[in-house]
DNA sequence: TTTTCATTTGAAAGGCTGTTCAGTTACATG
DNA sequence: CATGTAACTGAACAGCCTTTCAAATGAAAA
């Protein structure tokens, strides 16, 4: 009954990734079985192994792809100007990039503990790189005397937690649109570090 | 071989809760089996069912107990003074209460999706009550003209995310002690809403 | 000492897990 | 039209899962 029509690997492959991402975001890595993913894709469980060597790698690939997308997009954003302008740019970038990707954000934050140690180390480094981009802005601002931050590392973690938390409760079609939220968060972030 | 010495229910019961909390915090609810919990407690899996009707209830009881502790402790803290003083009090309360309870915080934030819907609703309400305590402070501050917050609900969520994020990366014996971190966070929070 | 009973064991039921692989299908190429 | 092969099935393996329960245990009560 296999191979109903046409060459399918370029259709099934992405569908496996999409379905796995959605199910893992909703129920968690450990709670989702390969058979469930396969059923939603519309194949038998064995067919998944044409697209991933194992379940662990499937998770890791999802998380790595997301973090790479983040880092690439941040680099492409190419934030310019004085530290307050760059801080504004970072805040807006984070919100615009992450809000439409709630499944990726969820998985990337909740499933770290389900990664094999070597995979965890890779993702931790990528996350650290993202954090450092923000910390560099804060450090420059402190050096220029425009930010008052007793500890740039802690301020970095606090701001990122604030921004990431947004992804956990924001729902499209809620009371406020993305633009309004963007303004409010820019204000909160800017305030928290101003002199 | 059962019942090695004395009556054990008052010893085994708490040990089941403690062990379950620790294992679930580390590996996640779905990834921890009743057999693993039992093995760490030092009994067979069947014995756990003297202390919980099922695995789901074991998780729910852990989470509800934690949220009830939070709400009770907050009520006991009895924050007084003008809005900035109460905001300071809330920040310090949150940090002092949550930092020594990282396993509870982890479980309460990561395992919400593994709750049965009726249990989820109960916890969501308790969490909402905690958030409202902060929002009331912000609203009073806005009314008194000492806080500049365009949207108290969003500011509430942002501040709580910032504070909760702390529990995710803080490690005892790190670069900064709890007191130093408390000061820094009080400053960040106070700044973010000041006029 | 005998009885009671809270506590635990050990086995079982019924089902799900990730992964492998020989075999089948249906398309693309020669 | 014949052949090769990418894509998939369906079954199997070995082991784990939660939950139940009759039976065993050993301390406390009578």
């Amino acid at each position: 009954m296999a191979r109903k029509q046409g060459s399918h690997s370029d259709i099934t492959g992405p569908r496996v990734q999409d379905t796995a991402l959605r199910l893992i975001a909703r129920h968690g890595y450990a709670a989702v079985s390969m058979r469930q993913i396969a059923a939603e894709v519309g194949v038998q469980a064995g067919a998944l192994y044409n697209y991933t060597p194992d379940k662990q790698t499937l998770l890791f690939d999802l998380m790595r792809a997301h973090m790479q997308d983040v880092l690439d997009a941040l680099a492409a954003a190419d934030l310019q100007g004085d530290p307050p302008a760059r801080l504004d740019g970072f805040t807006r970038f984070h919100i615009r990039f992450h809000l439409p990707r709630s499944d990726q954000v969820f998985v990337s934050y909740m499933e770290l503990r389900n990664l094999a140690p070597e995979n965890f180390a890779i993702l931790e480094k990528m996350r650290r790189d993202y954090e450092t981009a923000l910390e560099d802005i804060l450090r420059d601002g402190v050096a220029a005397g425009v930010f008052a931050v007793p500890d740039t590392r802690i301020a970095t973690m606090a701001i990122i937690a604030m921004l990431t938390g947004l992804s956990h409760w924001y729902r499209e079609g809620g009371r406020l649109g993305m633009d309004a939220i963007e303004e409010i968060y820019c204000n909160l972030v800017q305030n928290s570090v101003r002199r």
Side-chain angles (χ1 to χ4, degrees), chain A:
Chain A
M1 228 182 302
R3 190 73 172 284
K4 311 254 172 53
Q5 62 189 22
S7 182
H8 275 174
S9 72
D10 52 346
I11 297 172
T12 307
R15 272 175 55 79
V16 170
Q17 305 271 342
D18 293 351
T19 304
L21 178 68
R22 184 165 38 80
L23 287 179
I24 292 173
R26 202 161 336 257
H27 307 292
Y29 172 75
V32 173
S33 72
M34 295 298 268
R35 280 174 174 75
Q36 278 174 57
I37 297 170
E40 292 238 348
V41 171
V43 296
Q44 294 298 313
L48 298 181
Y49 291 83
N50 291 320
Y51 304 98
T52 184
D54 48 44
K55 193 188 178 191
Q56 166 71 207
T57 306
L58 179 57
L59 172 66
F60 174 60
D61 286 345
L62 289 174
M63 295 174 76
R64 186 180 46 184
H66 172 64
M67 281 310 297
Q68 193 61 57
D69 287 350
V70 172
L71 293 175
D72 290 349
L74 179 64
D78 191 31
L79 306 180
Q80 301 280 357
D82 58 2
R86 284 159 62 205
L87 181 59
D88 233 65
F90 184 91
T91 305
R92 291 181 197 279
F93 165 80
H94 184 101
I95 293 175
R96 279 186 204 276
F97 188 88
H98 286 91
L99 273 201
R101 291 173 174 83
S102 60
D103 282 351
Q104 284 94 332
V105 172
F106 231 80
V107 170
S108 289
Y109 274 75
M110 309 285 264
E111 307 297 350
L112 285 169
R113 62 183 165 188
N114 288 308
L115 289 174
E118 66 271 23
N119 291 340
F120 177 82
I122 292 169
L123 276 191
E124 200 180 31
K125 192 203 168 318
M126 296 175 88
R127 180 177 305 251
R128 178 65 68 124
D129 288 345
Y130 185 66
E131 292 163 1
T132 300
L134 173 57
E135 191 172 0
D136 286 346
I137 297 173
L138 296 184
R139 253 201 295 263
D140 289 351
V142 170
V146 294
F147 293 159
V149 173
D151 189 293
T152 53
R153 184 73 201 148
I154 289 193
T156 298
M157 299 306 279
I159 290 172
I160 290 205
M162 198 165 103
L163 292 174
T164 301
L166 173 55
S167 289
H168 292 342
W169 59 262
Y170 177 80
R171 293 291 168 267
E172 207 164 349
R175 183 166 56 86
L176 293 165
M178 196 166 82
D179 290 351
I181 287 187
E182 201 178 302
E183 292 305 320
I184 294 173
Y185 269 81
C186 277
N187 222 270
L188 286 167
V189 169
Q190 207 70 241
N191 268 5
S192 68
V193 299
R194 73 172 165 170
R195 276 166 47 86

